[in-house]
Amino acid sequence: MTITTQENVNIKPDTKGGQNNKEGKKAKHVFEVSDLNLWYGSKQALYEVNMKVPENQVTAIIGPSGCGKSTYLKTLNRMVEMVPSVKTSGSIKYKGKEIFSESFGVEDLRTKVGMVFQKPNPFPKSIYDNVAYGPRIHGIKKKAQLDQIVEKSLRGAAIWDEVKDRLNEKAFGLSGGQQQRICIARALAIEPDVILMDEPTSALDPISTAKVEELVQELKKEYSIIIVTHNMQQAARISDKTAFFLNGDMIEFTDTDELFSNPSDKRTEDYITGRFG
Amino acid sequence: MQLINHQNIQKRSGGRVLLNKVFKVLFFLSTTVGLIFLSMLLYRVLTQGTGHLNWDFITNFPAPYPDKAGIFAGLIGSLMLMAIVAPITIIIGVGTAIYLEEYARKNRFTNFIQANIQNLAGVPSIVFGLLGLTFFVYLFQMGYTLIAGGLTMSLLVLPVIVVAAQEALRAVPNDVKEASYGMGASKWQTVLRVVLPAALPGILTGTILSLSRAIGETAPLIIVGAATAIYSIPDSLLSKYTVMPIQIYNWTGRPQEEWQLVAAAGIIVLLTVLLLMNAIAVWIRNKFQNRY
C-alpha cells in the first residue's frame, strides 16, 4: 500500500464495472471519490480528484491556502452546495452509494457524515441542548435516552468531567477549546460513521490543540476521520494517510509516513520542506 | 529614501484636529435641531392638554361639549385595529421573510419581488387607503367596517415588517446554520430551532416599531371610512369604528379654542400608547439580544 496517488486511482475502472455497491467491498473504504470536478460559478476549484478514504483511520488533507482542501472536505457531506453557484461533476460513493444521486438525501448523508468546523460554533443554548440537538432533530424525545446520549457523547469528546456539573449553562461560557470539544460531542451525538474536521484547531491555543489531537486518536477506533489542516506537523502527528492538494489538484495521497519521508512528487516535497505555502 | 515628510505631516496636524472639532460641533447641532423641535412639541401639547386629561377623558365617548368629550371610542378602536393588524402582519410578514431569506433561490424573480417589497415600504399610506377602498370596502363588500380598516392597515404595515424580519434573519450567523445542516437537519428544523430563536428579538422589535407607526396613521383610514364621531365601541369585526388620530384630527378642525385643548389631551394619550409600545420593543431587545 505504499504506491498510491494518481497511478493507484487510475486502476479504478474495475470498481465501476464491478457493481461495487452490491458487494459492499467489506467497507474498507468509506468514500470512493472518482473524477471529482467542482466549480464556483465559472471558476474551477477542484480538478479530477480521485481518492479512496479508508475506514477507521485518520486521513489528513494538507495544502496551501486556497488549494481547495476545505472545498473538497465540504463536498463529502455536500455542505459545499450551500454556496448557490456550485457545480460538481464526477462521483463520490459513500460505502458504495452515490452521494449525488436523487435517492440519497443530503439529510441522510449528513446524519452518517458529521462535521466539525473551523471556528467553534455552538448554538446559543445550554451545553445539554447543544449536544442533544442532533438526536432531537432525528426524533429522539425520551429524556432518559437523551441523558445517556449526552453523557456518552461528552465522554467521547473528553469533556464530560469538565462540564458534567453545569450542563444547563450556556455553551458560550466555555473556553474556545472547550467549545470546540462540545462541538465534537455534538457531532458524535448522532453516532455518525465519518467525522469531517475542517481545521478544527486553527482557532485554539496549543494546549487545547493537543487535547483535540489526542481526542482524534481516540475517536478513530470507532469513526473514520478526515481532517483538513494547514499545520503539517499536526498532519504528521495524528494521521494515517495524508493527501496533498495544490491549486485544486490532488497531487499525492499516501501513507502519512511515506508522504513526509519520501514524497513522490517534487511539489509535495517543496511544500513539506517549507519552500512555499 | 524617505517617501514621507514627517515635518509636513506635523504642520498639517493642527488643521486636521481643528476640522475634526468643527464636524463634531456640526453633528451635535444637527442632533439638537431634532431635540429642540421635539421638546417644543411636547411642551405645547403638555401645557395645553394636561388640563383636560383625566379619567373621564379616557372613558368618555365624544360629546358636543369640550369638557364632556372623551377619547374612549378612539382608544379602544386603535387597540382593536392593532389586534387585527398584528397577527395578520406577523404571520404573513415573517412567513414571507423566511421564504425569501431561507428557501427561495436567489434569481431574477426573487430579486424582483425583493425590490418590489422595498418599494412598497415607501409607498405613501394614502395609496394603500385607495387600494383598501377598492378591494375590501367595495369589491369584497365589507363596507366601512373595522375589518376593512384592519386589512388595509395590514397591507400598509406588511412590507415594513417583511423588510425588518429579513434583516433580522440575515443577522443570524451562518456558522450556526451550518452546524445544524451539518447534523442532517432539514431546512425547516434549522429555521425553527436555530434561526427563528436567534432572530426573534429583531423580528419583534421591527414589528412593534412598524405597528407603532401604524397606530398614528390617519389618511388611509379616513379613505376606508373610519367614523369621526362614534358613540359605541366596536362589538364585532363588522362594526363601525374610529381611531385616536382621526378623533384628534376631528377635534383640531373645530374653530373653538377649547377643542384645541381637547385635541392636545388626545395627543398625550396617543403618545403614551406609542411610548408604551416602543418601551416594550426596547425591553424585548434587551432581554433577548445578548445571545451572540
Side-chain angles (χ1 to χ4, degrees):
Chain A
M1 274 303 275
T2 43
I3 328 140
T4 41
T5 77
Q6 263 117 353
E7 295 96 305
N8 183 7
V9 271
N10 285 342
I11 314 170
K12 159 197 55 74
D14 73 333
T15 63
K16 243 183 194 166
Q19 291 283 315
N20 59 338
N21 43 353
K22 253 187 181 169
E23 301 162 14
K25 294 222 147 193
K26 287 286 159 238
K28 283 214 166 150
H29 297 112
V30 280
F31 280 110
E32 286 182 47
V33 181
S34 19
D35 302 327
L36 178 72
N37 288 291
L38 184 139
W39 294 264
Y40 288 115
S42 58
K43 191 181 169 295
Q44 188 160 4
L46 293 175
Y47 296 86
E48 297 291 314
V49 177
N50 288 284
M51 186 194 266
K52 287 181 179 175
V53 179
E55 191 168 39
N56 285 42
Q57 293 198 5
V58 178
T59 305
I61 300 174
I62 60 168
S65 301
C67 69
K69 53 189 193 302
S70 276
T71 298
Y72 176 67
L73 191 78
K74 285 179 178 166
T75 314
L76 295 176
N77 66 348
R78 297 183 60 184
M79 286 294 280
V80 75
E81 290 165 33
M82 305 257 299
V83 183
S85 62
V86 160
K87 285 193 190 64
T88 51
S89 78
S91 146
I92 300 178
K93 289 204 167 70
Y94 166 73
K95 294 197 168 167
K97 275 172 84 184
E98 176 60 52
I99 68 164
F100 292 121
S101 75
E102 288 279 319
S103 60
F104 201 167
V106 283
E107 287 87 0
D108 293 336
L109 174 68
R110 291 172 190 160
T111 310
K112 297 283 186 198
V113 183
M115 188 158 199
V116 176
F117 296 83
Q118 185 167 359
K119 215 178 106 218
N121 57 354
F123 298 123
K125 301 173 189 277
S126 70
I127 294 170
Y128 185 97
D129 288 339
N130 260 283
V131 182
Y133 182 87
R136 278 184 177 142
I137 59 170
H138 292 106
I140 295 168
K141 291 198 185 79
K142 281 193 214 112
K143 179 87 172 85
Q145 194 183 354
L146 284 174
D147 286 349
Q148 281 183 326
I149 294 175
V150 168
E151 177 169 349
K152 183 182 167 215
S153 310
L154 287 168
R155 282 189 192 281
I159 191 166
W160 171 253
D161 291 330
E162 288 159 69
V163 299
K164 65 181 176 203
D165 298 323
R166 44 175 174 158
L167 292 177
N168 291 319
E169 285 174 29
K170 291 255 160 143
F172 284 163
L174 301 171
S175 76
Q178 288 173 322
Q179 286 187 20
Q180 190 63 302
R181 277 179 289 147
I182 293 290
C183 293
I184 294 175
R186 190 175 60 181
L188 297 180
I190 50 172
E191 301 189 343
D193 292 327
V194 185
I195 301 171
L196 308 176
M197 296 184 163
D198 188 2
E199 302 192 20
T201 60
S202 67
L204 305 186
D205 64 89
I207 293 168
S208 306
T209 300
K211 279 189 180 155
V212 171
E213 287 184 5
E214 208 176 296
L215 177 59
V216 168
Q217 290 304 312
E218 202 53 39
L219 290 174
K220 77 172 185 183
K221 291 173 192 159
E222 284 184 66
Y223 307 90
S224 312
I225 293 167
I226 308 173
I227 181 168
V228 162
T229 174
H230 57 214
N231 179 336
M232 279 179 283
Q233 285 77 20
Q234 182 171 66
R237 276 195 300 267
I238 65 175
S239 70
D240 304 299
K241 290 191 150 242
T242 300
F244 171 59
F245 275 65
L246 184 63
N247 298 331
D249 281 310
M250 193 185 75
I251 306 295
E252 191 163 348
F253 176 44
T254 183
D255 288 352
T256 301
D257 297 342
E258 180 76 11
L259 186 124
F260 282 102
S261 60
N262 189 15
S264 63
D265 195 289
K266 181 78 172 63
R267 290 165 293 181
T268 316
E269 192 184 337
D270 287 350
Y271 182 69
I272 60 176
T273 52
R275 233 160 277 169
F276 73 98
Chain B
M1 189 181 82
Q2 268 199 321
L3 293 174
I4 304 274
N5 184 338
H6 280 272
Q7 271 180 339
N8 273 350
I9 291 179
Q10 201 72 47
K11 263 185 236 157
R12 288 172 45 88
S13 83
R16 291 190 298 133
V17 171
L18 185 69
L19 200 63
N20 183 39
K21 278 186 184 144
V22 169
F23 273 101
K24 184 182 164 190
V25 171
L26 278 177
F27 293 142
F28 175 73
L29 285 179
S30 21
T31 315
T32 42
V33 170
L35 278 178
I36 287 169
F37 280 101
L38 183 68
S39 36
M40 273 164 60
L41 177 89
L42 283 179
Y43 175 74
R44 227 179 102 82
V45 166
L46 287 176
T47 47
Q48 290 191 329
T50 34
H52 268 275
L53 197 64
N54 52 33
W55 191 246
D56 283 345
F57 178 76
I58 292 172
T59 54
N60 277 2
F61 287 105
Y65 314 103
D67 40 333
K68 290 268 170 63
I71 202 161
F72 189 61
L75 179 64
I76 297 299
S78 282
L79 293 179
M80 287 178 91
L81 200 72
M82 286 305 114
I84 296 175
V85 174
I88 292 180
T89 50
I90 290 175
I91 292 168
I92 300 182
V94 175
T96 309
I98 290 176
Y99 177 74
L100 287 176
E101 280 305 307
E102 302 293 327
Y103 283 89
R105 289 174 176 277
K106 303 277 173 277
N107 57 27
R108 271 192 202 165
F109 180 64
T110 45
N111 280 344
F112 177 75
I113 295 181
Q114 186 70 53
N116 271 291
I117 291 174
Q118 263 147 9
N119 284 338
L120 278 179
V123 166
S125 57
I126 196 143
V127 178
F128 283 100
L130 291 170
L131 183 75
L133 184 71
T134 324
F135 272 88
F136 303 128
V137 176
Y138 292 140
L139 191 67
F140 300 139
Q141 300 193 331
M142 291 173 184
Y144 299 138
T145 55
L146 183 64
I147 183 74
L151 292 176
T152 307
M153 207 53 123
S154 303
L155 287 185
L156 174 74
V157 176
L158 200 48
V160 189
I161 290 193
V162 173
V163 173
Q166 274 187 291
E167 306 257 313
L169 291 172
R170 226 174 285 151
V172 177
N174 221 10
D175 58 356
V176 289
K177 292 191 213 172
E178 282 184 342
S180 173
Y181 290 128
M183 275 181 282
S186 68
K187 207 155 241 189
W188 170 235
Q189 288 176 317
T190 306
V191 167
L192 186 69
R193 289 161 188 255
V194 176
V195 180
L196 271 183
L200 208 59
I203 291 176
L204 286 179
T205 3
T207 307
I208 294 173
L209 290 180
S210 23
L211 286 180
S212 57
R213 217 200 80 183
I215 209 171
E217 277 289 347
T218 326
L221 290 179
I222 291 181
I223 293 190
V224 295
T228 42
I230 197 165
Y231 301 94
S232 62
I233 54 167
D235 54 4
S236 82
L237 290 177
L238 296 174
S239 301
K240 300 229 156 262
Y241 66 105
T242 190
V243 291
M244 281 187 282
I246 292 184
Q247 187 73 71
I248 294 164
Y249 175 70
N250 177 264
W251 286 329
T252 354
R254 299 185 187 181
Q256 296 87 342
E257 172 76 16
E258 279 203 292
W259 285 108
Q260 309 302 319
L261 306 181
V262 178
I267 292 173
I268 295 174
V269 176
L270 179 61
L271 282 179
T272 311
V273 173
L274 266 171
L275 285 178
L276 271 178
M277 288 176 73
N278 288 2
I280 293 172
V282 172
W283 178 75
I284 288 176
R285 198 171 48 208
N286 290 346
K287 184 162 164 62
F288 295 105
Q289 211 167 40
N290 42 13
R291 285 169 176 248
Y292 286 103

